[in-house]
Amino acid sequence: GRMLCTMNERENGLGSGYVAYGLFDQHKDDYCLQFFFDHEKAMSSVEEYLKGRGEILKDEPVYTKKTSSMKPPYPMVWRYFFQPDPGSEKFRIRDQAPDECVVETVMGINGIIPGAICISSGKDMAVFKGNGFSYEIADYYDLGRYDAQMWLSHSRFPTNTPGWWAGAHPISLLDWSVCHNGEITSYGVNKRFVEMNGYRCSLLTDTEVVTYQWDLLVRRHKLPIQAAGFAMAPWYYEDMKRLDQKSRDLGNQLRVTYKEAFLNGPFSILVGRSRPEITMIAMADRKKLRPLLIGQSADKKRVYAASEECAVRIVDGTADTWVANPGSPMIAKMGEGIIRRGNETEPFQGVFC
């Protein structure tokens, strides 16, 4: 939380959040569905909904404590460790992959059960967020009690959308989580694109479509991370002329195939996932209209990404830092370290065998 809280001029108390990866050793193969409930009726409706689509292995309240500076009302925060039953007649398509069952379950709950929002649904990870300043949310959930392998965090200064508990970042689906600084001006096109592919937008924030696009392009369509990043922030045609023919052909194919996935407007994003290994992705828009700094500890065991260098320096005064190229993702994986720095001159490095 120190990295986030030191940038207090970037928030106004209308939303902050954290996501932790590598949390649940005893349930690492189970989906952890974490909810905000407005009332008991919403909770009982969700439990009935889940039981019709799989097995609740364990449920428990998420620990919270009263924080004097935060204003009520507060939602009930609850988690369920869940395994879907792909053979359930409740699903639109029988015997689909477990991930698809969970996506359909989350979309259904968020869309039709009043007073209930699923804020995270991945394996071995969870989101902790709310309507408050970053230090208030960290205190509210007592985040010091958790030991995780990777943390992403975000504080909001909402401009075009309301500040509310579920709309705070990170926005998450399955093991994906996205923290976003900026404004997606292509939101309407991107929203139609994900909705045509079975997703339902209900969180009143443009970051939601970014999250669903990462899931669609990488998990469903099996694109490498570099290719998915290019599809969302493609090079200009003039810049593509200097690429070799193979890379230029792939770039053109991605631009045509995923033209509705292009994210227009200023943004920098942090993306997390837990499968097949814990991974962090950091990327800015293709004009670099929002700041993004990458850092790595001297022993190369820790990787940082932030909007300002002060966030890195407060936790690691000797870290090596650099700025990624516009539209070029930095990729770091647990156990492997940084596999792409984000300042390469070749957009598809590592894609071709």
Side-chain angles (χ1 to χ4, degrees):
R2 292 174 65 200
M3 289 183 68
L4 184 63
C5 295
T6 194
M7 298 184 289
N8 56 6
E9 76 283 353
R10 288 184 171 270
E11 56 182 323
N12 66 354
L14 293 179
S16 183
Y18 304 79
V19 58
Y21 287 88
L23 276 182
F24 306 114
D25 282 341
Q26 295 182 350
H27 291 277
K28 65 190 320 176
D29 295 322
D30 302 322
Y31 294 92
C32 176
L33 308 186
Q34 200 147 291
F35 287 90
F36 287 154
F37 294 129
D38 289 344
H39 41 70
E40 295 279 354
K41 182 179 179 181
M43 184 176 180
S44 61
S45 297
V46 163
E47 290 181 354
E48 181 180 353
Y49 196 94
L50 292 176
K51 289 174 182 176
R53 291 160 176 80
E55 181 183 2
I56 298 174
L57 303 171
K58 180 183 178 181
D59 72 285
E60 61 188 11
V62 176
Y63 179 84
T64 59
K65 63 179 183 179
K66 188 173 182 180
T67 303
S68 59
S69 57
M70 289 178 63
K71 298 178 180 178
Y74 314 111
M76 299 165 54
V77 191
W78 211 272
R79 73 168 60 105
Y80 300 86
F81 292 101
F82 178 74
Q83 281 294 340
D85 174 12
S88 171
E89 62 183 15
K90 296 288 187 178
F91 291 117
R92 291 182 293 112
I93 300 175
R94 299 283 289 276
D95 298 320
Q96 59 187 342
D99 279 351
E100 293 298 338
C101 294
V102 172
V103 170
E104 183 179 329
T105 300
V106 171
M107 297 292 137
I109 290 172
N110 288 354
I112 67 172
I113 298 182
I117 290 287
C118 182
I119 61 170
S120 61
S121 51
K123 293 182 177 182
D124 203 19
M125 55 84 70
V127 167
F128 307 90
K129 65 181 183 178
N131 207 19
F133 285 96
S134 54
Y135 65 89
E136 292 174 323
I137 299 302
D139 185 56
Y140 181 73
Y141 288 104
D142 191 21
L143 293 184
R145 66 176 43 237
Y146 296 102
D147 184 19
Q149 294 174 298
M150 182 175 76
W151 290 87
L152 303 181
S153 58
H154 180 271
S155 56
R156 286 194 83 191
F157 200 120
T159 50
N160 295 328
T161 55
W164 68 303
W165 281 75
H169 304 191
I171 303 296
S172 180
L173 179 69
L174 293 175
D175 60 321
W176 294 100
S177 63
V178 174
C179 301
H180 162 225
N181 170 26
E183 180 178 1
I184 305 301
T185 58
S186 56
Y187 172 74
V189 173
N190 305 139
K191 180 173 181 284
R192 286 193 294 272
F193 175 58
V194 297
E195 287 178 340
M196 285 190 299
N197 284 277
Y199 300 87
R200 178 183 291 176
C201 296
S202 55
L203 300 181
L204 308 178
T205 171
D206 51 4
T207 312
E208 186 176 21
V209 299
V210 181
T211 307
Y212 299 165
Q213 286 192 174
W214 279 104
D215 183 61
L216 175 63
L217 270 59
V218 178
R219 181 184 64 84
R220 283 190 180 174
H221 292 181
K222 311 299 183 186
L223 290 185
I225 291 172
Q226 299 95 313
F230 185 95
M232 287 185 257
W235 283 28
Y236 291 97
Y237 284 111
E238 189 67 30
D239 295 331
M240 289 173 58
K241 290 179 181 179
R242 62 182 173 83
L243 298 175
D244 63 78
Q245 189 62 49
K246 195 173 184 180
S247 295
R248 192 158 60 246
D249 289 344
L250 176 57
N252 284 327
Q253 290 167 2
L254 288 169
R255 288 190 66 123
V256 171
T257 304
Y258 293 105
K259 58 184 181 295
E260 292 128 324
F262 171 35
L263 301 176
N264 203 4
F267 67 84
S268 58
I269 56 174
L270 293 182
V271 183
R273 67 185 305 204
S274 62
R275 293 176 291 161
E277 55 271 317
I278 294 175
T279 303
M280 179 171 70
I281 307 160
M283 188 175 80
D285 67 82
R286 62 181 187 169
K287 285 191 175 183
K288 201 63 180 295
L289 296 174
R290 286 294 182 271
L292 179 64
L293 180 106
I294 312 299
Q296 186 176 36
S297 62
D299 61 7
K300 301 190 183 302
K301 292 183 178 180
R302 293 190 178 188
V303 178
Y304 312 99
S307 295
E308 299 181 16
E309 187 158 0
C310 66
V312 176
R313 295 300 172 206
I314 197 170
V315 295
D316 191 340
T318 63
D320 177 33
T321 59
W322 65 93
V323 175
N325 293 336
S328 181
M330 184 283 298
I331 307 170
K333 293 185 177 181
M334 186 65 60
E336 299 180 45
I338 292 177
I339 63 173
R340 193 175 195 279
R341 289 174 60 90
N343 54 10
E344 292 81 0
T345 57
E346 164 57 58
F348 303 121
Q349 181 178 324
V351 170
F352 302 116
C353 297

